[in-house]
Every structure is written in structure tokens, then in C-alpha cells.
Amino acid sequence: AGRDGCVRLWDPRVRDPVLALEPGEGQAVRDCWAVCFGNSYNDEERCIAAGYDNGDVKLFDLRTSALLYETNVGNGVTSLEYDRKDVEANKLAVTTLESRMRVFDLRTQHPEEGFACVTERAHKSTVWLCRHLPQNRDVFMTCGGNGGLNLYKYQYPTARQRQGKDNLPVGVAGSLELLNSRVVSSQPINSFDWSPDREGLAVLTSLDQSLRVLICTRLNRV
């Protein structure tokens, strides 16, 4: 992804990109700030989510090279992440400038209303990252421009869809529960990664030129 608004898929075995998703003819070219893989639940299905500087979020189906969905979240998109990459698309977290983050429920898409989502204000600054806990996809950490970490749990609604006025199913968004919050740096946190082997063990870096290792306890009880 880059400033030309194009999302390219590379195979390290070949020189040129194997797929290029470019803006249509006559469309404005926006900087693409973030991309991620998801929906990889078998050998054929693959999706890419892309976020742009003007707040556009687009989901592409790699199998058909088609645009599945697009919306605008109002602020520049700093990161995106599926709750799990290797299952059928379930949730997509999107973080943005201006202290905003959204979680989309991807199980039900309405032709007009799209996907349901829940919006949260966090960190009182840019939300730079969101990273889901590998052992529990409903728990995730956000990283803020204030040097803070917020630990959330996504709470599913009683029913994930309802009947719309046109008799088509409409998604119902859940809610976000803030489990813990802590400021660990005086500068923005620019990377964060959970351990796939040890639940709660994580590593992060920030713009104060520090690398930190942290442990979140009792995650098996949330």
C-alpha cells in the first residue's frame, strides 16, 4: 500500500506484484495507510482490508478480485485487524486519528446499511494500533498516541442480526468493555505484538526509543 492509492499483493518468488488493486478511472487517489489479511478459512478464500487517509475502509475479495464493501469512518485509518485471520470473517477492528476506533461485525452484510459497527473514543489522542489476543479473539489491546494501552473485550449482542424493513437481515453490533488502561510511555506506541504461546505476554515499542515487555494477567477469567 502507498500514496498512489494502490494495494499490491506480492509473492516473494517473483519480481512483480501478483495482484494490484487500483483506484478506478476518474476516482480520487488517496494515500493508503493500512492493510491486513483475513477470511483465510480455506485454500481459496482470502480478503484484504485497506484503510485510507480520508477515512475510507475497503474490503477486497482476492479470489474474485472484487470490491466487497466500502465505507468511510470519518478520520484517517491508522490500522486494521481481523480478530482472526484463519477463520471466516467475523470482526474487523479499525483505528483512526482523533481518538476513534470501530469494530465491525462482518457476519451480516445488508445491501444498503452494510456491516454493523460499534464506535469507541479512546486515549484522547490518535489510536495507532489494535491487536487481538491470539488465545481469545474477543479480547484486544489498543495503543495510543498518549503512550497508553487500553485492554478491551468485545461483548456480543443477544442476537447478531435482526430483520430489516425490507425483510433482509441487518447486523447488530455488540459493545466494548474496557478491562484495563495504563499509560506506559510519554510517547506514542508504534508497535505491539502478543505472544502466540504465552497468554498475556506481549512486547511493544514506542517513540521514546524503548522496547518493553509486559504481562497481562487473569485473561483466562474475562
Side-chain angles (χ1 to χ4, degrees):
R3 299 190 64 181
D4 59 359
C6 183
V7 177
R8 295 178 176 88
L9 182 64
W10 299 84
D11 184 335
R13 297 170 296 181
V14 297
R15 181 176 180 180
D16 297 322
V18 296
L19 180 68
L21 303 169
E22 301 177 350
E25 186 176 350
Q27 290 184 338
V29 176
R30 308 298 309 196
D31 294 3
C32 186
W33 282 1
V35 291
C36 69
F37 275 115
N39 200 44
S40 305
Y41 61 91
N42 61 28
D43 293 335
E44 297 181 355
E45 298 293 337
R46 297 289 188 277
C47 286
I48 286 180
Y52 298 80
D53 67 332
N54 65 336
D56 282 349
V57 174
K58 298 182 181 183
L59 304 185
F60 299 97
D61 185 342
L62 295 184
R63 182 173 58 84
T64 61
S65 299
L67 178 66
L68 288 178
Y69 175 70
E70 63 179 328
T71 188
N72 188 283
V73 294
N75 298 107
V77 177
T78 54
S79 77
L80 315 100
E81 188 177 66
Y82 288 87
D83 57 357
R84 282 273 297 276
K85 298 178 182 179
D86 56 351
V87 299
E88 186 177 354
N90 184 55
K91 299 193 303 295
L92 176 70
V94 179
T95 64
T96 71
L97 306 177
E98 302 293 336
S99 311
R100 299 276 185 171
M101 66 166 296
R102 290 169 174 80
V103 178
F104 290 85
D105 187 319
L106 301 182
R107 284 300 170 89
T108 304
Q109 181 179 5
H110 188 272
E112 293 183 2
E113 299 184 28
F115 296 111
C117 78
V118 56
T119 303
E120 179 85 357
R121 294 188 67 91
H123 300 289
K124 297 182 179 179
S125 64
T126 295
V127 187
W128 284 110
L129 290 170
C130 173
R131 293 291 180 263
H132 290 86
L133 184 69
Q135 295 81 9
N136 184 349
R137 65 183 182 182
D138 297 328
V139 175
F140 59 90
M141 187 77 78
T142 60
C143 305
N146 65 339
L149 298 171
N150 283 6
L151 184 67
Y152 290 96
K153 182 177 182 180
Y154 184 87
Q155 303 284 1
Y156 290 97
T158 304
R160 295 184 67 177
Q161 66 179 38
R162 59 178 174 82
Q163 204 72 10
K165 296 180 180 179
D166 50 6
N167 292 323
L168 294 176
V170 179
V172 177
S175 60
L176 296 178
E177 177 187 358
L178 180 62
L179 302 176
N180 208 337
S181 178
R182 183 174 180 181
V183 175
V184 298
S185 173
S186 60
Q187 298 294 322
I189 298 171
N190 60 345
S191 70
F192 183 98
D193 195 28
W194 292 106
S195 168
D197 303 313
R198 301 292 182 182
E199 185 177 60
L201 181 64
V203 62
L204 64 96
T205 62
S206 58
L207 297 185
D208 61 0
Q209 301 182 357
S210 296
L211 182 147
R212 295 173 171 85
V213 177
L214 61 88
I215 297 177
C216 299
T217 59
R218 300 182 181 180
L219 291 178
N220 61 329
R221 300 182 183 180
V222 300

